[in-house]
Amino acid sequence: MREYGSAPDINIYGDQNLTFPYVTSHLHLMLFELVKNSLRAVQERYMNSDKDVPPVRIIVADGTEDVTIKVSDEGGGIRRSGLPRIFTYLYSTAKNLPDMEGPSEGVTMAGYGFGLPVSRLYARYFGGDLQIISMEGYGTDAYLHLSRLGDSEEPLP
């Protein structure tokens, strides 16, 4: 809303009262990043269009081993040539990259290239994972797998 003046709706499916133990700040960062990316992609794709803006869909699945959260959008997807780089630090699909050198006007929430790599790092550290599946020309599905077993060992070298 702050960046574009409007925003796509968000529809949530699954048990919205689900609770499970997790590090709240890490979960917030991972979900914030995925939802922000989807909202930005959809908004940028449809902001000059007469078509109805599709919602961003969040599906929560309560499995035996994992809680999986899928964030799905119709924001045009990621080019197949760019997919290998999305978990690379400093890589961004944002059109207007922030100026890291000078003062900025307001708060820039995209373009730094840290969100997805850090999100996947957090998920894996606690025994989960982050997978991105994209269809260029349509949209992207992000699967955040969060281990609920509590038997993951700290992944140290």
Side-chain angles (χ1 to χ4, degrees), residues 78-79 82-89 91 93 113 116-117 132-133:
I78 302 166
R79 292 185 186 129
L83 280 173
R85 297 182 295 186
I86 62 173
F87 292 113
T88 303
Y89 290 96
Y91 175 75
T93 60
L116 287 178
I132 306 291
I133 299 172

Side-chain angles (χ1 to χ4, degrees), residues 90-112:
L90 300 178
Y91 175 75
S92 177
T93 60
K95 290 179 176 71
N96 299 318
L97 297 177
D99 179 10
M100 305 273 203
E101 308 271 327
S104 64
E105 297 175 17
V107 176
T108 303
M109 295 178 58
Y112 293 103

